[in-house]
Amino acid sequence: MNNEILFKPNGLILATSNNTITSSEYKLYDTLLQRCQITKDSNWRKAEITRDEIQGLIKDKSKNNLNDLKKVLENFMNVKIRFKLGTKHVGATLLAEYVYDENTDVFSCSMSENVFTALMTYNEIGYSPIDLKMVRQARGFYTQKIYGLLRLWSRHNETINKTYTVEVIKDICDIFDGTAYDMYGNFKKKVLVPALKEINEKLNMKVEYKEIKKIRRVQEIEFIFTDYEPRKYDFEKDKLIEPKEVIGLDEVAITKDDIDSIDYMYLLDFKLNESIHTQFIKDFYNFKEHSISVQTASEKTLSALGGKTINKRNYKYFKTTLENLIPSIDINL
């Protein structure tokens, strides 16, 4: 059974930092996030990991003795990140502190308070599930970063088009102004193309891209991708929980007795009239990952247009509002 799924808050996927870490260190950090998420220790916000486990992730054998591993964690304590937690703009460090126990050979790593809050409230603020075992096959740091960006928007077995500006991708990949990869030619050759090649080969996703030029310069990248990786998991059976709405959705009526992935009362809480439930779930099948945004979009629509519920008359306005509110869009930290 694969129990190494990190329900990574979208804010952390979109986080920007003041310093870069290596590909191996990024895998270690995601592992710590997942351990913290399943441990749920609100007192110490801790994630425990053995020295052997860290050494298994840090591939450079010349830099994985005990003192080197301490330096890696101390570097995490010095890397500052900025991300969004709902409507709040947060500044934090990757790690707050660590304790190494000589008797057990175990590191106890404590997360920053707001990082821990994001991990515990992922279902409210929006998240994207990451299969850590699979992603560890990837060698590249930028592979992991761009894969996360695509997982924000993916739907299981569906082809999606998503456009990001080049500057946004650079920010998320921790490529700083004036550095070698800041030049688009180098960025394309050393970051974008190798990352997409590795995603296609190792991460259960097929992705292509198109360059979008404005004023004779490439300013945006359109990704066209199909994600074959599940977004919902049954951990007891280690298989995908398939939502019924992906097949023949237009002909399916959503009722109180419908499948678990569609909560009838949950939709009513958002003031969504039953007449648009089917269309809403078709447009936003993973709406529970963006519940705060759905609530806000509903409130904004009713405030602007009046009425008591979201219905066929105001649905277009509501849909556009929600698309502009989903956390993965707003990255201006």
Side-chain angles (χ1 to χ4, degrees):
M1 179 175 70
N2 184 2
N3 58 357
E4 288 196 76
I5 305 298
L6 168 62
F7 295 96
K8 195 166 187 176
N10 291 340
L12 293 182
I13 290 177
L14 294 166
T16 59
S17 76
N18 69 330
N19 205 349
T20 58
I21 59 177
T22 68
S23 177
S24 295
E25 290 169 350
Y26 193 72
K27 294 173 186 177
L28 170 60
Y29 187 65
D30 270 359
T31 300
L32 293 176
L33 291 178
Q34 193 265 350
R35 295 281 175 90
C36 182
Q37 194 170 61
I38 63 176
T39 302
K40 300 177 182 176
D41 181 354
S42 59
N43 292 321
W44 295 102
R45 308 185 297 274
K46 70 179 180 181
E48 291 188 338
I49 190 167
T50 67
R51 176 165 36 158
D52 284 346
E53 287 178 310
I54 300 180
Q55 289 174 329
L57 293 170
I58 305 297
K59 298 301 183 182
D60 189 343
K61 301 302 181 183
S62 67
K63 295 182 180 180
N64 67 359
N65 62 42
L66 181 58
N67 284 333
D68 290 329
L69 301 185
K70 291 178 181 178
K71 289 179 182 178
V72 169
L73 297 179
E74 288 161 6
N75 183 49
F76 286 176
M77 293 162 59
N78 291 320
V79 174
K80 298 177 181 178
I81 58 173
R82 294 188 298 167
F83 64 96
K84 286 195 70 176
L85 184 58
T87 59
K88 298 177 181 179
H89 297 247
V90 175
T93 55
L94 290 180
L95 204 64
E97 63 180 11
Y98 75 88
V99 175
Y100 171 69
D101 189 328
E102 293 180 351
N103 292 327
T104 61
D105 205 22
V106 169
F107 288 88
S108 294
C109 304
S110 296
M111 295 295 162
S112 301
E113 183 174 355
N114 282 301
V115 171
F116 178 79
T117 299
L119 291 171
M120 294 301 104
T121 60
Y122 69 90
N123 199 38
E124 300 173 21
I125 62 175
Y127 69 95
S128 300
I130 305 293
D131 183 339
L132 299 184
K133 285 185 177 180
M134 180 183 68
V135 172
R136 288 186 193 125
Q137 300 176 65
R139 297 185 61 184
F141 171 75
Y142 301 121
T143 301
Q144 299 172 70
K145 283 285 193 172
I146 293 176
Y147 176 73
L149 282 177
L150 299 180
R151 279 291 274 177
L152 285 171
W153 291 96
S154 72
R155 297 187 178 189
H156 187 240
N157 287 338
E158 293 188 28
T159 299
I160 302 294
N161 293 58
K162 176 60 185 170
T163 300
Y164 287 101
T165 67
V166 172
E167 293 307 311
V168 163
I169 301 172
K170 289 179 184 177
D171 285 344
I172 302 307
C173 289
D174 300 330
I175 296 172
F176 306 112
D177 292 345
T179 58
Y181 295 165
D182 186 35
M183 299 287 292
Y184 180 75
N186 290 339
F187 168 78
K188 177 180 177 180
K189 182 178 179 181
K190 299 293 186 179
V191 176
L192 183 63
V193 172
L196 298 188
K197 182 176 185 293
E198 193 168 37
I199 289 172
N200 281 319
E201 291 174 350
K202 300 178 180 179
L203 299 187
N204 208 17
M205 180 183 287
K206 294 301 177 185
V207 56
E208 300 175 350
Y209 75 98
K210 295 179 181 178
E211 297 172 321
I212 300 176
K213 291 185 177 181
K214 296 182 180 180
I215 318 178
R216 294 186 294 182
R217 294 181 59 187
V218 176
Q219 296 190 19
E220 297 179 338
I221 302 295
E222 179 185 6
F223 295 100
I224 306 97
F225 57 100
T226 306
D227 193 355
Y228 302 107
E229 185 66 16
R231 293 190 64 90
K232 297 182 181 294
Y233 299 84
D234 181 342
F235 290 103
E236 292 185 0
K237 297 181 180 180
D238 195 25
K239 66 179 182 180
L240 168 67
I241 301 175
E242 290 283 2
K244 283 185 181 178
E245 71 270 23
V246 299
I247 300 176
L249 178 62
D250 291 334
E251 301 175 357
V252 177
I254 307 304
T255 71
K256 294 180 182 179
D257 299 321
D258 235 301
I259 56 178
D260 291 341
S261 60
I262 304 172
D263 189 330
Y264 177 88
M265 296 306 297
Y266 203 73
L267 296 177
L268 294 184
D269 286 342
F270 291 138
K271 301 187 184 301
L272 269 62
N273 187 280
E274 292 181 53
S275 64
I276 53 90
H277 282 189
T278 298
Q279 185 61 47
F280 172 72
I281 295 166
K282 179 181 179 181
D283 292 336
F284 303 99
Y285 87 103
N286 56 344
F287 67 93
K288 287 187 180 180
E289 300 174 20
H290 306 290
S291 57
I292 292 178
S293 296
V294 177
Q295 183 67 47
T296 302
S298 177
E299 293 171 356
K300 284 180 176 288
T301 301
L302 296 180
S303 175
L305 303 182
K308 296 182 179 180
T309 62
I310 305 300
N311 52 48
K312 291 182 178 180
R313 291 184 177 181
N314 57 20
Y315 181 73
K316 184 176 180 180
Y317 184 99
F318 165 79
K319 179 183 176 183
T320 301
T321 302
L322 178 55
E323 289 173 340
N324 289 326
L325 279 172
I326 290 176
S328 55
I329 297 176
D330 188 357
I331 60 150
N332 296 315
L333 304 181

